[in-house]
């Protein structure tokens, strides 16, 4: 027997509709009947139907109205049309209106049964596509941000919360922490994802060129301006504009930015016409803007305007547990690019990678992994495949960019503990190793909590409490670990 369906049968020939309904019930379908538009709409308001099978002529009423009503109010329902006056034009019109198929009276049982089966199959495919799209959307924009650190998980929650907000977002963090990726993730998870995402590195341009880049210019605005040019704000209209290194903007540029962020209006360089845009603005910096405000180098009013939502990205040395996950990802990418078979780093090399302070953060780690894959002649990467600064053999030119702990020895390897315990209580210092031990055991036991508790020789209640305290109870962790 074919898969059963819930069907609304609509025809003004009451004897015909009752006969069809009886036959459809006999072959396993659930059937409701109606003989007019109002009756059909009332049934749809009370019940959910997989299919509506309707005649095009319902006394003085038009079956096309029921097709339109169903497509608008019940888009999950498939419509089959039956008529005794079918023409090629009628069929085309019915399909355009939203009908799945058109059947000609008198109906043959096998023909109707086949049409219902096709419609049910189409419904199943549509539902499966919707579920797949939802699963993809659940990580949309985040698929390239690899982490199982609880701080990053909280940032993912913030991204979900603010994705559709109009308010400006300020992303702060050290160089190489992935500010651009977070900005793009916010865009991709918003209703603007089908519109442009435009990125501008403010620190790469002098003030006059930055103004032209952002707002555009008219012909003759400056030497070399041989024609009108549209700026990034207009290019990002209806989409997102990402302004990186906003801390480098001069005082004059800050005034112009404040106005456009307040009013979303501006004039092109050298022009007099006021342009209005609907552009979502995300800004980023690796500088301490609050200190810049105190020192007078950054406008206080602009700071408050852009700092409505502040996403602070942790450095890589603060999420040392993510290093193996990131290394594995970068290894696979580099090995595929170089057409190499690489198994990975050995234990000592991985411990050294986790002990290093990573002043260049994720970007530096990616470069180190790519270098190792390129230069190594072996399938297993070792300490000898790491650059001298990682091993402490030469001074790291980037080391001054991060605070150092007195007496810290970056050569001292450890696999699960943070690089520094400065200003931490004993409980805080132990959270890192404890989290890594539990996480490792959960992975080893395929996230079976009972087996994990037995392996760790603690009861399940204790395990659940620890998982909640350490941020391991987020179900997305399992997806992140598999990714």
């Amino acid at each position: 027997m074919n898969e059963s369906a819930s069907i609304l049968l609509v025809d003004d020939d009451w004897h015909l509709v009752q006969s069809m309904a009886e036959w459809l019930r006999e072959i396993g379908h659930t059937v409701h009947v109606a003989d007019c538009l109002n009756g059909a709409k009332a049934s749809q308001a009370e019940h959910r139907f997989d299919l509506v099978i309707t005649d095009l002529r319902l006394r003085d009423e038009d079956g096309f109205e029921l097709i339109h009503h169903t497509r608008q109010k019940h888009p999950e329902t498939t419509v089959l049309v039956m008529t005794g006056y079918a023409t090629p034009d009628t069929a085309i019109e019915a399909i355009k209106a939203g009908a799945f198929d058109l059947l000609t009276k008198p109906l043959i049982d096998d023909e109707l049964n086949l049409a219902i089966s096709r419609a049910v199959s189409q419904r199943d495919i549509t539902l499966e596509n919707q579920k797949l799209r939802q699963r993809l959307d659940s990580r949309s924009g985040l698929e390239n941000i690899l982490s199982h650190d609880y701080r990053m998980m909280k940032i993912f929650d913030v991204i979900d919360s603010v994705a559709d907000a109009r308010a400006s977002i300020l992303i702060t963090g050290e160089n190489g922490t992935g500010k651009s990726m977070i900005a793009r993730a916010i865009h991709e998870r918003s209703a603007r994802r089908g519109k442009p995402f435009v990125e501008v590195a403010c620190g790469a341009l002098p003030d006059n060129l930055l103004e032209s880049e952002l707002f555009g210019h008219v012909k003759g605005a400056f030497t070399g301006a041989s024609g009108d040019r549209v700026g990034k704000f207009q290019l990002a209209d209806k989409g997102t504009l990402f302004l990186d290194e906003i801390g480098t903007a001069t005082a004059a540029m800050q005034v112009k930015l404040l106005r456009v962020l307040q009013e979303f209006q501006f004039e092109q360089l050298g022009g007099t016409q006021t342009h209005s845009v609907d552009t979502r603005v995300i800004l980023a910096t690796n500088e301490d803007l609050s200190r810049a405000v105190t020192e007078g180098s950054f406008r206080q009013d602009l700071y408050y305007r852009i700092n409505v939502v502040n996403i602070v990205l942790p450095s890589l040395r603060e999420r040392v547990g993510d290093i193996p996950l990131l290394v594995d990802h970068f290894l696979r990418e580099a090995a595929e690019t170089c057409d190499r078979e690489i198994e990975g780093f050995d234990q000592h090399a991985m411990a050294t990678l986790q002990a290093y302070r990573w002043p260049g953060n994720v970007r530096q780690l990616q470069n180190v992994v790519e270098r190792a894959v390129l230069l190594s002649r072996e399938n297993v990467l070792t300490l000898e495949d790491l650059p001298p600064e990682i091993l402490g053999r030469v001074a790291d030119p980037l080391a001054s960019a991060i605070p150092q702990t007195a007496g810290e020895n970056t050569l001292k390897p450890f696999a699960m503990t943070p690089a520094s315990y400065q200003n931490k209580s004993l409980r805080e210092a132990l959270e890192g190793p404890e989290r890594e031990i539990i996480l490792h055991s959960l992975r080893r036991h395929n996230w079976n909590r009972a087996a994990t508790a037995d392996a760790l020789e603690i009861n399940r209640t204790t395990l659940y409490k620890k998982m909640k305290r350490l941020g391991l109870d987020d179900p997305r962790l399992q997806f992140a670990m598999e990714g």
Side-chain angles (χ1 to χ4, degrees):
M1 185 180 69
N2 294 323
E3 183 178 353
S4 62
S6 176
I7 300 173
L8 174 61
L9 189 58
V10 187
D11 198 302
D12 57 4
D13 185 337
W14 193 246
H15 294 292
L16 174 64
V17 80
Q18 290 292 352
S19 176
M20 287 182 59
E22 182 178 353
W23 177 72
L24 290 172
R25 292 186 184 112
E26 287 177 357
I27 62 175
H29 300 296
T30 301
V31 183
H32 290 71
V33 296
D35 63 354
C36 63
L37 283 179
N38 288 337
K41 292 177 182 179
S43 293
Q44 287 182 308
E46 294 180 7
H47 306 283
R48 176 197 165 283
F49 295 103
D50 298 315
L51 300 175
V52 169
I53 304 177
T54 182
D55 197 342
L56 285 180
R57 294 189 178 183
L58 303 171
R59 297 193 180 93
D60 297 329
E61 298 173 323
D62 189 349
F64 280 102
E65 183 180 340
L66 181 58
I67 299 176
H68 292 302
H69 173 81
T70 303
R71 302 319 300 157
Q72 291 178 359
K73 302 294 184 180
H74 310 281
E76 73 285 355
T77 302
T78 302
V79 179
L80 292 178
V81 169
M82 55 184 177
T83 180
Y85 308 93
T87 66
D89 290 340
T90 303
I92 293 173
E93 188 178 356
I95 298 301
K96 284 184 176 180
F100 175 73
D101 201 355
L102 183 141
L103 306 174
T104 303
K105 292 181 179 180
L107 298 180
I108 301 173
D109 289 351
D110 288 344
E111 181 184 7
L112 177 59
N113 196 23
L114 178 61
I116 292 174
S117 296
R118 290 175 56 236
V120 170
S121 297
Q122 180 65 31
R123 176 207 63 183
D124 292 342
I125 292 172
T126 301
L127 291 175
E128 185 63 29
N129 287 340
Q130 290 175 349
K131 291 178 181 178
L132 178 59
R133 192 176 298 111
Q134 289 171 355
R135 288 198 295 270
L136 292 175
D137 287 346
S138 71
R139 289 283 294 179
S140 177
L142 299 175
E143 61 274 1
N144 292 322
I145 307 173
L146 302 177
S147 178
H148 52 67
D149 184 88
Y150 70 96
R151 283 158 293 202
M152 294 299 294
M153 290 294 172
K154 290 180 179 178
I155 288 174
F156 296 161
D157 289 335
V158 172
I159 291 174
D160 281 334
S161 299
V162 304
D164 281 321
R166 179 71 182 273
S168 299
I169 296 176
L170 179 63
I171 305 173
T172 56
E174 297 177 6
N175 286 330
T177 49
K179 296 186 287 293
S180 177
M181 295 178 70
I182 293 294
R184 187 172 290 276
I186 294 171
H187 172 76
E188 290 296 332
R189 294 183 71 77
S190 75
R192 299 172 180 262
R193 59 182 171 271
K195 302 300 182 180
F197 177 85
V198 180
E199 184 171 351
V200 179
C202 298
L205 297 170
D207 204 37
N208 61 330
L209 291 182
L210 179 58
E211 182 177 358
S212 172
E213 187 77 7
L214 294 179
F215 308 122
H217 63 251
V218 298
K219 181 178 180 181
F222 53 86
T223 302
S226 56
D228 294 350
R229 180 183 179 184
V230 175
K232 301 298 189 186
F233 267 98
Q234 284 179 282
L235 290 176
D237 190 26
K238 308 300 183 184
T240 302
L241 178 63
F242 175 50
L243 302 179
D244 199 4
E245 304 175 50
I246 190 60
T248 63
T250 64
M253 178 55 63
Q254 290 176 35
V255 173
K256 293 180 173 66
L257 283 174
L258 179 61
R259 182 205 169 193
V260 72
L261 292 177
Q262 286 177 331
E263 304 172 6
F264 290 93
Q265 293 183 333
F266 59 90
E267 289 79 39
Q268 292 179 311
L269 184 61
T272 58
Q273 180 183 354
T274 299
H275 298 271
S276 298
V277 291
D278 175 19
T279 303
R280 205 279 180 75
V281 181
I282 302 175
L283 310 97
T285 183
N286 63 344
E287 299 182 19
D288 185 347
L289 289 188
S290 61
R291 186 174 65 183
V293 169
T294 302
E295 295 173 349
S297 60
F298 200 86
R299 293 181 61 98
Q300 186 179 54
D301 48 5
L302 178 59
Y303 174 69
Y304 288 130
R305 169 60 59 181
I306 67 177
N307 197 33
V308 178
V309 178
N310 184 198
I311 297 177
V312 182
L313 298 184
S315 63
L316 185 55
R317 62 186 172 278
E318 294 176 284
R319 36 185 283 228
V320 66
D322 278 344
I323 290 178
L325 183 68
L326 291 164
V327 166
D328 179 67
H329 175 72
F330 295 144
L331 268 177
R332 284 187 278 111
E333 281 191 339
E336 182 177 353
T337 301
C338 301
D339 195 22
R340 293 278 311 279
E341 291 289 337
I342 301 292
E343 295 180 18
F345 286 94
D346 66 18
Q347 182 178 358
H348 296 295
M350 181 60 73
T352 300
L353 290 173
Q354 290 188 275
Y356 183 60
R357 289 181 61 79
W358 298 107
N361 291 291
V362 178
R363 187 181 299 125
Q364 184 186 7
L365 175 63
Q366 181 177 10
N367 292 338
V368 167
V369 172
E370 290 177 352
R371 174 189 182 277
V373 172
L374 283 170
L375 299 182
S376 176
R377 298 180 180 275
E378 306 296 333
N379 291 341
V380 177
L381 306 178
T382 68
L383 290 173
E384 294 304 315
D385 298 308
L386 299 178
E389 63 269 18
I390 305 296
L391 301 172
R393 294 174 183 171
V394 299
D396 190 339
L398 297 176
S400 60
I402 58 175
Q404 297 290 326
T405 302
E408 182 180 33
N409 180 4
T410 58
L411 278 177
K412 184 178 180 180
F414 53 88
M416 295 179 292
T417 57
S420 171
Y421 298 120
Q422 187 177 16
N423 299 323
K424 290 185 178 180
S425 66
L426 178 60
R427 176 173 176 171
E428 291 172 336
L430 291 175
E431 279 186 350
E434 184 179 25
R435 188 176 190 276
E436 290 301 316
I437 290 170
I438 294 174
L439 182 58
H440 174 74
S441 186
L442 284 166
R443 295 181 68 186
R444 188 157 54 90
H445 294 94
N446 295 318
W447 289 81
N448 184 312
R449 298 187 181 190
T452 299
D454 291 342
L456 296 175
E457 298 184 4
I458 58 177
N459 63 56
R460 276 178 283 180
T461 302
T462 300
L463 175 63
Y464 298 159
K465 289 180 178 179
K466 288 181 179 291
M467 288 177 65
K468 185 174 182 179
R469 177 170 59 85
L470 298 170
L472 293 172
D473 60 336
D474 192 321
R476 293 172 300 177
L477 277 171
Q478 299 182 44
F479 181 87
M481 302 306 297
E482 295 169 0

